[in-house]
């Protein structure tokens, strides 16, 4: 199995913890980490001390640089005459850039390996299955339902969702056949130019789809996890499962005992968002912990019941 993440240095210690967990869950795996080129020495120093032979560090400039991505954005805006003020070329550009890195890495490497992407701020606390009968398992989130994510998938794949559930659950998986299907589907939306790199092509798809639909980048309008899960469903994956995890309202680190309790209640992973939690952040007290736990469980069971009565369907538009 081949895991990968895209990360800035502020998630380095979370990644360390996650790799240790993965080693206890899976006998054999590789892990690729796409990182800012200027941080490579710092990453190497941390991971070298842990002797992670499974880990490969990949400078993001080997895929596409942020400067190249910005140039593609400016070219698309000018060519299509989108009415966007220069001040709106915001910090959000970096957020879309990270998603391009994930999709481009998946397409470039997923033709020969089954892949699992885990967000760099996420730690698995229980073993998950990612594949079933030659297809990926699609994990749905009971906590988030960002309609723009659905709209973008509908636009790119020329479909209509009935009873849509988001799969932005901090991870996704792909088989080699699913990656080939994704590649062909994306070509139907946006032709890949002769000699054009995969990353440049994916950049045009991400940016153009968001600007076509919303005429703006100042918002959360795109999810690579929803895009890929939609593609996997269109390719035949029908194993959709709700997953419980800690992310929303989590502003403190958890103790080992709290993680054990969460695991016993079916929580699969925890996400320490770097903007809220760092190495010096205090541990959560038990009152806050149980409030988050039971709120998470309530939302999960509620949405499982809804999912049983309102099945998600995809209608192809011709």
């Amino acid at each position: 199995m081949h895991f990968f993440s895209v990360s800035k240095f502020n998630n380095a210690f979370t990644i360390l913890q996650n790799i240790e967990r993965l080693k206890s869950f899976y006998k054999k795996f590789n892990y690729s980490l796409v990182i800012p080129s200027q941080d490579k020495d710092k990453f190497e120093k941390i991971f070298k001390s842990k002797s992670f032979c499974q880990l490969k560090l990949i400078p993001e400039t080997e895929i596409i640089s942020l400067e190249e991505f910005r140039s593609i954005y400016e070219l698309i805006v000018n060519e299509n005459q989108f009415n966007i003020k220069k001040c709106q070329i915001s910090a959000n550009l970096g957020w879309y850039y990270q998603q391009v890195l994930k999709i481009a890495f998946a397409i470039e490497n997923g033709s020969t390996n089954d892949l699992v992407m885990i967000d760099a701020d996420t730690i698995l606390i229980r073993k998950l299955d990612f594949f079933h009968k030659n297809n990926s398992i699609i994990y749905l989130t009971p906590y988030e339902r960002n309609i723009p994510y659905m709209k973008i998938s509908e636009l790119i794949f020329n479909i209509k969702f009935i009873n849509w559930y988001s799969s932005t659950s901090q991870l996704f998986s792909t088989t080699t056949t699913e990656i080939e299907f994704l590649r062909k589907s994306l070509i139907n939306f946006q032709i890949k130019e002769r000699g054009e790199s995969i990353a440049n092509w994916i950049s045009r798809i991400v940016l153009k789809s968001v600007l076509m639909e919303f005429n703006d980048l100042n918002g959360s309008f795109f999810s690579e996890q929803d895009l890929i899960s939609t593609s996997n469903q269109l390719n035949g994956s029908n194993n959709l499962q709700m997953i419980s995890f800690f992310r929303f309202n989590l502003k403190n680190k958890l103790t080992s005992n709290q993680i054990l309790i969460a695991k016993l209640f079916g929580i699969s992973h925890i996400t320490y968002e770097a903007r809220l939690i760092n190495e010096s952040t205090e541990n959560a007290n038990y009152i806050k912990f149980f409030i988050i736990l039971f709120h998470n469980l309530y939302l999960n069971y509620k949405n499982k019941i809804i999912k049983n009565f309102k099945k998600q369907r995809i209608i192809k538009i011709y």
Side-chain angles (χ1 to χ4, degrees):
M1 196 181 312
H2 194 134
F3 294 96
F4 78 96
S5 303
V6 173
S7 181
K8 295 182 179 179
F9 186 71
N10 55 8
N11 286 314
F13 292 100
T14 302
I15 295 166
L16 276 174
Q17 294 178 62
N18 190 45
I19 292 177
E20 291 289 0
R21 292 275 179 175
L22 295 178
K23 287 167 68 177
S24 69
F25 297 146
Y26 307 100
K27 288 183 179 179
K28 187 177 180 181
F29 67 89
N30 295 311
Y31 197 116
S32 293
L33 185 58
V34 180
I35 58 172
S37 303
Q38 67 270 19
D39 290 338
K40 188 177 180 183
D41 289 344
K42 291 192 288 185
F43 273 102
E44 285 179 341
K45 184 177 180 181
I46 288 178
F47 288 110
K48 186 178 180 181
S49 64
K50 296 293 182 179
S51 300
F52 287 142
C53 59
Q54 306 100 324
L55 182 70
K56 181 181 180 181
L57 297 176
I58 303 170
E60 58 192 22
T61 51
E62 291 186 9
I63 300 174
I64 185 173
S65 70
L66 180 57
E67 291 73 22
E68 289 175 291
F69 183 66
R70 185 183 297 274
S71 296
I72 293 169
Y73 166 77
E74 292 171 347
L75 185 63
I76 290 172
V77 169
N78 292 332
E79 283 184 346
N80 295 275
Q81 297 182 334
F82 289 111
N83 185 25
I84 297 176
K85 297 176 182 178
K86 283 197 172 183
C87 63
Q88 290 179 331
I89 305 177
S90 67
N92 263 20
L93 204 63
W95 185 75
Y96 289 98
Y97 170 63
Q98 287 228 338
Q99 299 192 60
V100 165
L101 291 172
K102 293 177 192 177
I103 300 169
F105 180 93
I107 292 176
E108 288 178 358
N109 296 273
S111 61
T112 54
N113 296 286
D114 291 345
L115 300 177
V116 178
M117 192 289 301
I118 302 179
D119 276 347
D121 54 5
T122 295
I123 303 169
L124 292 193
I125 63 173
R126 64 189 305 121
K127 184 177 181 180
L128 292 175
D129 293 323
F130 296 105
F131 305 98
H132 178 70
K133 293 184 178 179
N134 300 318
N135 289 110
S136 292
I137 295 171
I138 295 168
Y139 287 107
L140 307 176
T141 171
Y143 316 117
E144 185 172 6
R145 196 170 186 270
N146 193 346
I147 297 301
Y149 297 168
M150 179 191 74
K151 293 289 187 183
I152 290 295
S153 291
E154 289 181 332
L155 173 67
I156 290 176
F157 296 113
N158 197 29
I159 59 169
K160 186 71 177 176
F161 277 104
I162 306 296
N163 300 324
W164 174 74
Y165 300 94
S166 177
S167 54
T168 297
S169 56
Q170 318 308 116
L171 48 83
F172 67 75
S173 54
T174 59
T175 66
T176 56
T177 55
E178 287 168 343
I179 283 295
E180 180 60 18
F181 180 86
L182 173 65
R183 189 186 65 81
K184 289 179 179 178
S185 299
L186 294 179
I187 285 175
N188 288 336
F189 176 75
Q190 182 73 60
I191 293 292
K192 182 178 179 293
E193 302 295 340
R194 184 182 296 273
E196 182 180 28
S197 72
I198 288 174
N200 279 40
W201 171 53
I202 296 300
S203 297
R204 289 196 296 117
I205 290 171
V206 171
L207 292 167
K208 193 171 182 179
S209 63
V210 172
L211 292 172
M212 284 172 61
E213 188 71 22
F214 302 106
N215 200 45
D216 194 3
L217 291 185
N218 284 329
S220 301
F221 299 133
F222 188 97
S223 166
E224 91 288 347
Q225 294 166 43
D226 273 301
L227 181 85
I228 287 177
S229 77
T230 299
S231 177
N232 290 352
Q233 289 176 71
L234 291 169
N235 186 58
S237 179
N238 56 13
N239 194 332
L240 280 63
Q241 302 180 21
M242 285 286 177
I243 186 172
S244 294
F245 58 93
F246 274 11
R247 177 191 171 198
F248 299 97
N249 300 318
L250 185 61
K251 298 178 182 178
N252 299 87
K253 293 190 295 184
L254 302 183
T255 67
S256 57
N257 285 337
Q258 289 169 346
I259 290 173
L260 179 60
I261 293 168
K263 181 179 176 181
L264 291 173
F265 276 91
I267 302 298
S268 295
H269 60 74
I270 54 179
T271 294
Y272 292 144
E273 294 188 77
R275 64 187 178 86
L276 299 174
I277 301 170
N278 55 48
E279 285 301 298
S280 61
T281 303
E282 294 181 353
N283 291 331
N285 64 51
Y286 274 88
I287 294 175
K288 289 182 179 179
F289 167 74
F290 280 112
I291 289 172
I292 295 171
L293 175 62
F294 290 122
H295 184 249
N296 273 259
L297 295 176
Y298 163 73
L299 290 175
N300 189 45
Y301 291 130
K302 171 189 170 185
N303 281 284
K304 277 184 178 178
I305 293 170
I306 293 172
K307 177 176 170 287
N308 287 334
F309 288 97
K310 293 184 176 181
K311 300 289 186 181
Q312 177 173 284
R313 292 190 295 125
I314 300 177
I315 298 173
K316 188 72 178 176
I317 299 173
Y318 296 98

